[in-house]
Amino acid sequence: MSIRDGGFIDELRSTENSRIGLYALLLAGIAFYLFPVETAVMTMFKTESAFARTLPFAPPGTDGFTLDALTTAWNTLRPGLVNSLLMAIPATIVSALLGSMTAYGLTTISWRGQVGVVVLIIAGIFIPYQAVLVPLAQFWFQVLPGLLNGFVNTVFGFITGGNWQYPSRNGYVQLLQLSITHAAYGIPICTLLFRSYYQSISDEMIEAARLDGASAFSIYRNIILPLSLPMFAVTLIYQFTQVYNDLLFALVLVNEPASQVATQRLAALTGGVVQSFNTTMAGAIVAALPTLLVYIMFGEQFAKGVAGE
Amino acid sequence: MAQLTLDEVTKTFQDDDGEIIAVDEVSVDIEDGEFLCVVGPSGCGKSTTLRMIAGLEDITRGEIRLDGQIINDQPPARRNVAMVFQSYALYPHMTVRENMAFGLEESTDMPDDEINERVEKACKDMGIFELIDRKPGELSGGQQQRVALGRAIVRDPEVFLMDEPLANLDAKLKAEMRTELQELQQDLDVTTVYVTHDQTEAMTMSDRIAILNDGVLQQCATPLECYHEPNNLFVAGFIGEPSMNFFPTTLEGSTLKGEWFEYELSDETVAAVEGTSDITLGIRPEDIEFVQSDVGPNVFDSTVHVVEPRGNENTAHLQFDESMDEQFIATVGGMKQLKAGQHVKVRFPENAIHLFDTSSGSAIRNRTLDEIETVESVV
Amino acid sequence: MREILSRLLATGGRLRSAVSRDESDGDQLATDGGATVKTTRGDSLRNSLPVEWELIESAPFWLPPVLLAGFFVYGAIAWNFLLSLTEYNGLGGAQYESFDLSMYSRMLSDGAFWQAAQNTVVLLVVFTVLCLALGLFVAILIDQQIRFENTFRTIYLLPMSLSFVVTATMWAWVYNARNGVLNQFFRVFNLEGAIVGLLRPAGVNAEVIQWLSWNTTALAAVIFALIWQFSGYAMVVFLAGLRAIPTEHYEAARVDGASTVRMYARVIIPQLRASAVSASVVLMVFALKAFDFIYALRGSQPGANMDILATMMYRVAFDSLQWAYGSAVAIVLFALALLVIGPYLYSEYRRGEL
């Protein structure tokens, strides 16, 4: 029986080469995945003339350096950042909590037929949001105001005199509506993340608690919830990123200019006629700052959320 | 010829605390066609040694030679060894046929129909021919094990390497496979290195046993040599189930003074242990005799604490003093009954005791083998 | 003492079988001796319910969120479907009196719809396949026990953490015709002229590559940027899949004589089938809803070259206020998504993976 022949020296050499080649590829990967960000960061500090003169990748020289673009972008986007955070943080927390509870009721406590509910929820992760946009706009701008107007003016007519109107045009109300919307749409993915986590919690521990007489609520509060902290970290980080980064819902639900979120403002900035790349790049970086910082600090949690999906 | 030689083979790892020596200058000469078992407790370095032979670990110092050629730097693919892993490592997406053909396809230029022929023959030999187009997920543990074996056999290698292949089987299957493996190896006559922590497997299957502890080779000899003539305390205690009883004693004149008894030595023995004063006396459970009266030297009073009936034999845990926990073990034939609480007299015959140097652990004098008889065959 | 113990055992046994995961109605734990166990009021209530006790006690936990999400998801989709059957457009309320399929027939004869549909399918297929390929390649590289593995992984995944508006802003500059990053890069190496000649559509004269305008490059440019952003996800999925393969498979293949390439091709990659399937479902669904990026890049009228169903739907519904028509387009999108996730969810359910 013959064994395929090959020089043993060649084998040795190719091992060395292959390591070098491997790292070369990996470094190329870094260049590939970072170049848009790197060029953006370089450009946002450049003056107009420096921008015209230098290569995109190159940093601004000492004479080409300016904070103007950054200042403009910051001033334009800061209100948006605030609105985004105002909207995203509550939505994320609510989603995560509701997701944890849902997963608990569908996983740790087991009952016949629950898989059906699970399937419905998981399918909810995958729906294209276009399929709910028009109803959403209808609901928040027409149906709900109509209902509430009718209700309030009838029941509390003696206070309002029949004149109360649901403040649809109020920027904060719109942000609240957006927040609630995100909270609702975040439930499926948060449930999925917690469900796979709860599936790995030992049944016997729960059964022991049962034998000790614990109620479902008590088990949740005293056992599951404390154990869930790592998963809360993952879910909060991941979901915050998703909610903050969203554009579509914000476009549909927030039309008061003062309440627009960061993504909307940036889209407006980029879509503007005058293309001053210094400013738009600065805008991109400013708008990205919260999620970028979150990612740099909690990248591992984010990756776990990504993998969980 | 597939003679495998390990020459002062050493493996060290770097750790935060310094250097860890996993395998310490192990030297063994394995003959062509020999079945060598490498045994030892967990962490003794036996798997590491096996993996160095396979080429899955680098050798820090020393040489491994196959038929006189140094193979230290050869990649696994080129060493012409076949390995059976503890978890079988069957490729789940391939059928049994494809699993077994894989090695031949990758390491030889054999034409497909020849490969197929070989695979089918090996399957028939292993008794798994009906399973040849199934995937590993559809097979039981025992069947998977046979496929793993078949995969190694089909390659007709120079050396078989086996890493605790029977560890995942239940007791009955294990016993069956032990015999089968032994027969297989004898039929194929391929040099085999077999790693296990189970000393029963080592005793029953191998031509020779290499015993490792903490990376150091303790003894490399035939099973019976290891059993009756252990090199040191470790080997004596490791081989044999239930294990040998050890009693620390001090030599005074011609008496070994232990905590519970005094043991009279004959002049011959005294001469053999000349110069050592701290001696550990060892005696195997089956060599302890139960006697009725103080006839002869070295008869001691003891109490039966617990009896473990095994059917073929009874294992008695005995105590010299009821108030202390120290026990020693004696076994008797299954037809002899003992009860807990009984007071008995036991005798340690001098020709059955092993004497070890307590500080170094090495054997000073092992039992005599005069009592060995051969069963005469009938024409 | 024995009586207490046996009563405890009996209660525990019933509780245990109640909470056990066996669907089959349990083996009751055998009680010791002839001890009688008094049924408490709670037990008789529990046993006389038409549904399992667990369903009721768990309901406060899952029912409200499920109702909420259910309304926002399934309620909204059902409503959407209803709307698509009306003639609702402009301001004012919808009329739900007469339902017809006029929106759908209008859709079928709308050239823009077919163009958008074609672009959507192209995007879906090309994006998914290439993203999987790149993700797999990068995952294999990272799995090679490299130093600084965490750093590489973090950097490769970074684009995923950015909003599509942010990345669209960056890529708008990368793809800019006059002084975009790509074109400047080619300019430096004097390659620009050659590439212009290669890529420009017939009958167009230009000196710079207009990535986002030419029909030869527009959709490809978008797909490329999306792959850039999303391949980190594929990498994460494949990396997990690779790590789930026991080391011994790699070792056995090596001992069997396989070279590295053969080992990956014949042993490792076939075992990543499950990862590939689940990743492609997510990727395909994402491609269907990839609105944010294109909108931020070119607005709601990105031109026929990169118009996809998602952007068309937004434009039709929110720019032109043709709500019913927009709903119809959205239903098509939903149906496409269902085609992708339906079989996947069903097979996962059958295999008990859910």
Side-chain angles (χ1 to χ4, degrees):
Chain A
M1 182 184 67
S2 72
I3 305 186
R4 248 178 238 131
D5 215 15
F8 136 79
I9 301 292
D10 289 331
E11 185 86 34
L12 190 67
R13 196 184 293 136
S14 75
T15 328
E16 290 298 315
N17 284 349
S18 67
R19 279 323 258 194
I20 296 179
L22 177 65
Y23 281 98
L25 278 174
L26 287 168
L27 286 173
I30 292 194
F32 174 69
Y33 283 105
L34 279 189
F35 84 89
V37 181
E38 191 263 357
T39 53
V41 170
M42 290 295 123
T43 309
M44 69 195 240
F45 293 118
K46 289 182 183 170
T47 60
E48 285 293 341
S49 55
F51 175 74
R53 267 188 292 118
T54 57
L55 278 181
F57 314 98
T62 36
D63 51 334
F65 184 90
T66 174
L67 287 175
D68 286 350
L70 184 57
T71 324
T72 320
W74 176 254
N75 289 334
T76 322
L77 288 176
R78 191 182 46 82
L81 277 183
V82 172
N83 290 336
S84 277
L85 292 175
L86 221 54
M87 177 270 301
I89 294 179
T92 308
I93 297 177
V94 170
S95 275
L97 267 172
L98 290 181
S100 161
M101 286 167 49
T102 313
Y104 173 68
L106 293 177
T107 313
T108 312
I109 308 178
S110 71
W111 41 276
R112 215 168 9 235
Q114 69 183 176
V115 183
V117 181
V118 172
V119 171
L120 281 179
I121 298 211
I122 294 189
I125 300 177
F126 293 111
I127 57 134
Y129 291 139
Q130 280 77 16
V132 302
L133 276 186
V134 175
L136 217 50
Q138 285 290 300
F139 175 73
W140 287 118
F141 288 115
Q142 306 250 5
V143 174
L144 187 67
L147 282 175
L148 279 181
N149 287 345
F151 178 76
V152 170
N153 285 324
T154 319
V155 173
F156 298 102
F158 56 97
I159 308 177
T160 67
N163 288 328
W164 186 79
Q165 270 213 331
Y166 182 81
S168 271
R169 303 194 128 256
N170 179 308
Y172 288 113
V173 170
Q174 290 184 345
L175 280 180
L176 177 64
Q177 288 170 180
L178 184 59
S179 206
I180 295 176
T181 308
H182 275 302
Y185 285 109
I187 291 176
I189 180 68
C190 292
T191 306
L192 179 65
L193 287 174
F194 277 107
R195 176 174 164 84
S196 48
Y197 185 71
Y198 289 160
Q199 277 172 331
S200 69
I201 293 185
S202 131
D203 290 343
E204 287 171 348
M205 185 167 57
I206 308 296
E207 289 177 358
R210 289 280 194 184
L211 286 172
D212 281 342
S215 69
F217 178 70
S218 167
I219 292 181
Y220 180 71
R221 195 170 76 88
N222 296 315
I223 300 181
I224 299 291
L225 211 49
L227 281 180
S228 304
L229 289 180
M231 206 54 203
F232 265 106
V234 171
T235 310
L236 288 172
I237 300 295
Y238 180 73
Q239 190 58 11
F240 172 76
T241 309
Q242 300 304 101
V243 173
Y244 179 94
N245 285 344
D246 163 74
L247 175 68
L248 186 57
F249 283 142
L251 275 182
V252 170
L253 293 183
V254 178
N255 46 32
E256 283 301 302
S259 296
Q260 285 184 332
V261 294
T263 43
Q264 283 173 297
R265 293 203 168 219
L266 181 61
L269 191 65
T270 308
V273 177
V274 177
Q275 298 282 15
S276 167
F277 286 120
N278 324 31
T279 330
T280 52
M281 289 306 119
I285 297 294
V286 167
L289 266 180
T291 51
L292 209 51
L293 282 173
V294 162
Y295 181 70
I296 290 175
M297 287 194 292
F298 301 110
E300 191 165 331
Q301 277 74 17
F302 181 77
K304 288 199 181 131
V306 168
E309 179 162 3
Chain B
M1 277 288 294
Q3 191 191 37
L4 184 64
T5 310
L6 275 68
D7 193 354
E8 306 268 310
V9 172
T10 310
K11 174 75 184 173
T12 57
F13 292 105
Q14 287 297 349
D15 191 9
D16 294 331
D17 305 321
E19 205 182 53
I20 301 180
I21 305 181
V23 178
D24 199 351
E25 293 182 359
V26 169
S27 298
V28 186
D29 278 312
I30 310 172
E31 297 299 317
D32 181 30
E34 182 175 1
F35 193 125
L36 177 83
C37 261
V38 182
V39 274
S42 299
C44 68
K46 53 192 194 293
S47 278
T48 314
T49 309
L50 193 74
R51 289 163 64 86
M52 282 196 280
I53 301 176
L56 297 170
E57 298 273 358
D58 292 323
I59 304 168
T60 315
R61 273 192 306 280
E63 285 176 2
I64 298 185
R65 293 192 288 273
L66 186 58
D67 284 338
Q69 277 206 332
I70 302 179
I71 59 171
N72 284 29
D73 294 315
Q74 272 189 6
R78 256 214 288 267
R79 297 190 184 197
N80 201 12
V81 298
M83 186 152 166
V84 180
F85 291 84
Q86 186 174 347
S87 69
Y88 314 140
L90 298 178
Y91 310 127
H93 58 289
M94 296 187 191
T95 60
V96 168
R97 185 195 296 267
E98 290 162 352
N99 260 287
M100 287 174 63
F102 184 77
L104 288 174
E105 288 167 0
E106 293 303 318
S107 60
T108 73
D109 293 324
M110 214 181 277
D112 283 344
D113 32 346
E114 200 186 323
I115 294 183
N116 213 28
E117 228 182 273
R118 280 230 205 166
V119 167
E120 288 184 0
K121 177 170 182 313
C123 281
K124 290 194 187 117
D125 289 341
M126 297 295 301
I128 49 174
F129 187 69
E130 326 75 64
L131 309 171
I132 198 169
D133 287 311
R134 300 230 200 129
K135 298 222 175 114
E138 304 164 42
L139 304 175
S140 73
Q143 291 167 335
Q144 287 182 7
Q145 212 261 354
R146 285 165 199 267
V147 176
L149 267 176
R151 189 169 68 170
I153 291 172
V154 117
R155 285 190 53 207
D156 193 20
E158 302 268 349
V159 183
F160 278 142
L161 301 174
M162 307 204 189
D163 192 352
E164 309 206 44
L166 305 184
N168 296 336
L169 302 177
D170 64 59
K172 265 216 144 21
L173 206 47
K174 229 192 260 216
E176 262 177 52
M177 285 307 298
R178 270 206 314 258
T179 326
E180 266 196 51
L181 260 179
Q182 210 184 347
E183 284 169 7
L184 198 65
Q185 197 270 343
Q186 274 165 8
D187 286 338
L188 294 174
D189 204 23
V190 176
T191 316
T192 306
V193 182
Y194 185 103
V195 161
T196 179
H197 63 274
D198 182 339
Q199 55 101 40
T200 316
E201 282 173 26
M203 290 289 289
T204 55
M205 297 168 73
S206 46
D207 294 325
R208 273 195 301 161
I209 309 181
I211 303 164
L212 288 176
N213 188 31
D214 272 339
V216 180
L217 182 66
Q218 305 292 314
Q219 186 164 3
C220 183
T222 68
L224 288 181
E225 280 169 13
C226 293
Y227 191 86
H228 293 302
E229 298 169 275
N231 274 359
N232 55 32
L233 274 171
F234 180 79
V235 175
F238 187 81
I239 302 283
E241 169 64 34
S243 21
M244 186 189 287
N245 297 295
F246 293 120
F247 303 102
T249 64
T250 330
L251 179 66
E252 284 176 30
S254 64
T255 320
L256 288 173
K257 292 210 164 121
E259 200 177 344
W260 307 110
F261 59 83
E262 288 183 4
Y263 196 89
E264 296 291 334
L265 295 175
S266 66
D267 295 330
E268 236 184 289
T269 318
V270 173
V273 301
E274 192 77 59
T276 329
S277 57
D278 286 318
I279 296 183
T280 302
L281 183 143
I283 185 163
R284 291 210 178 269
E286 65 269 20
D287 292 327
I288 298 180
E289 296 173 358
F290 288 91
V291 294
Q292 292 306 109
S293 55
D294 280 330
V295 47
N298 304 327
V299 177
F300 313 113
D301 292 317
S302 60
T303 322
V304 179
H305 184 61
V306 173
V307 181
E308 291 173 6
R310 287 167 200 245
N312 59 333
E313 60 186 22
N314 293 314
T315 307
H317 295 251
L318 302 157
Q319 282 169 319
F320 286 119
D321 184 316
E322 276 159 22
S323 64
M324 300 300 289
D325 287 331
E326 306 286 333
Q327 293 171 16
F328 61 101
I329 304 179
T331 55
V332 293
M335 288 293 148
K336 296 219 169 106
Q337 294 297 318
L338 280 169
K339 277 214 312 250
Q342 255 183 280
H343 290 285
V344 289
K345 283 190 191 293
V346 290
R347 188 170 96 94
F348 295 176
E350 188 173 335
N351 57 8
I353 61 168
H354 302 255
L355 298 174
F356 302 92
D357 180 339
T358 309
S359 45
S360 72
S362 30
I364 308 173
R365 196 209 86 139
N366 284 316
R367 64 162 306 146
T368 60
L369 294 175
D370 301 333
E371 293 77 21
I372 290 190
E373 297 174 10
T374 328
V375 176
E376 295 292 337
S377 40
V378 179
V379 169
Chain C
M1 180 65 177
R2 266 168 78 90
E3 233 227 333
I4 298 174
L5 216 55
S6 61
R7 277 164 63 179
L8 221 51
L9 280 172
T11 323
R14 281 208 314 284
L15 271 175
R16 190 179 289 272
S17 67
V19 304
S20 81
R21 291 191 175 265
D22 283 345
E23 288 291 289
S24 65
D25 269 350
D27 324 322
Q28 295 288 347
L29 202 59
T31 53
D32 200 0
T36 42
V37 182
K38 290 198 271 285
T39 330
T40 64
R41 259 189 62 207
D43 287 349
S44 56
L45 176 67
R46 187 182 286 203
N47 291 336
S48 64
L49 289 171
V51 292
E52 265 175 82
W53 166 248
E54 281 73 27
L55 196 156
I56 299 199
E57 75 170 343
S58 65
F61 290 95
W62 60 266
L63 198 55
V66 168
L67 285 178
L68 183 66
F71 168 69
F72 272 85
V73 173
Y74 294 106
I77 293 179
W79 189 357
N80 197 352
F81 181 64
L82 273 181
L83 281 172
S84 71
L85 298 175
T86 68
E87 305 278 332
Y88 188 25
N89 58 18
L91 306 163
Q95 262 81 18
Y96 294 104
E97 285 86 37
S98 67
F99 292 134
D100 57 41
L101 296 174
S102 58
M103 289 300 139
Y104 292 97
S105 54
R106 174 174 161 194
M107 202 168 67
L108 292 178
S109 52
D110 187 350
F113 169 75
W114 289 110
Q115 177 66 43
Q118 178 185 309
N119 288 344
T120 305
V121 172
V122 171
L123 177 75
L124 192 118
V125 172
V126 176
F127 166 74
T128 306
V129 169
L130 291 183
C131 216
L132 283 178
L134 183 59
L136 176 62
F137 180 66
V138 176
I140 291 181
L141 288 184
I142 296 217
D143 193 37
Q144 298 302 315
Q145 279 151 350
I146 52 177
R147 300 171 63 183
F148 311 118
E149 173 188 312
N150 278 327
T151 316
F152 283 111
R153 255 177 33 213
T154 308
I155 293 180
Y156 291 170
L157 195 57
L158 191 137
M160 276 281 287
S161 74
L162 301 173
S163 163
F164 287 101
V165 185
V166 167
T167 53
T169 310
M170 296 178 183
W171 281 95
W173 182 33
V174 172
Y175 284 136
N176 182 273
R178 216 172 356 102
N179 49 10
V181 177
L182 255 188
N183 285 355
Q184 281 203 40
F185 179 75
F186 290 135
R187 218 167 282 159
V188 163
F189 293 105
N190 281 324
L191 289 171
E192 198 171 19
I195 301 191
V196 169
L198 208 59
L199 289 178
R200 68 180 167 84
V204 170
N205 270 329
E207 284 170 9
V208 290
I209 315 161
Q210 296 170 11
W211 298 101
L212 299 176
S213 311
W214 292 349
N215 57 11
T216 42
T217 54
L219 193 58
V222 168
I223 295 179
F224 185 78
L226 290 177
I227 293 176
W228 171 85
Q229 185 148 3
F230 240 82
S231 46
Y233 165 75
M235 171 193 78
V236 168
V237 173
F238 279 124
L239 204 52
L242 282 172
R243 300 261 149 106
I245 300 177
T247 325
E248 283 164 346
H249 286 215
Y250 292 84
E251 292 178 344
R254 286 232 182 272
V255 173
D256 275 345
S259 68
T260 314
V261 174
R262 302 275 299 177
M263 176 179 73
Y264 271 104
R266 293 201 61 194
V267 175
I268 307 299
I269 293 183
Q271 291 190 57
L272 293 175
R273 196 199 60 91
S275 303
V277 167
S278 82
S280 35
V281 169
V282 173
L283 288 173
M284 285 197 268
V285 172
F286 162 73
L288 282 175
K289 33 179 193 167
F291 170 83
D292 293 7
F293 185 81
I294 299 180
Y295 178 84
L297 200 59
R298 303 272 277 191
S300 58
Q301 287 174 304
N305 294 322
M306 58 168 97
D307 192 24
I308 57 175
L309 286 176
T311 45
M312 177 185 176
M313 182 267 162
Y314 180 84
R315 179 173 69 247
V316 156
F318 293 95
D319 283 355
S320 330
L321 299 186
Q322 300 183 62
W323 309 106
Y325 190 38
S327 301
V329 177
I331 289 293
V332 171
L333 256 186
F334 173 70
L336 282 177
L338 217 53
L339 269 179
V340 170
I341 64 176
Y344 174 71
L345 278 181
Y346 182 69
S347 85
E348 288 291 288
Y349 169 72
R350 296 294 289 175
R351 289 207 277 141
E353 299 279 338
L354 287 178

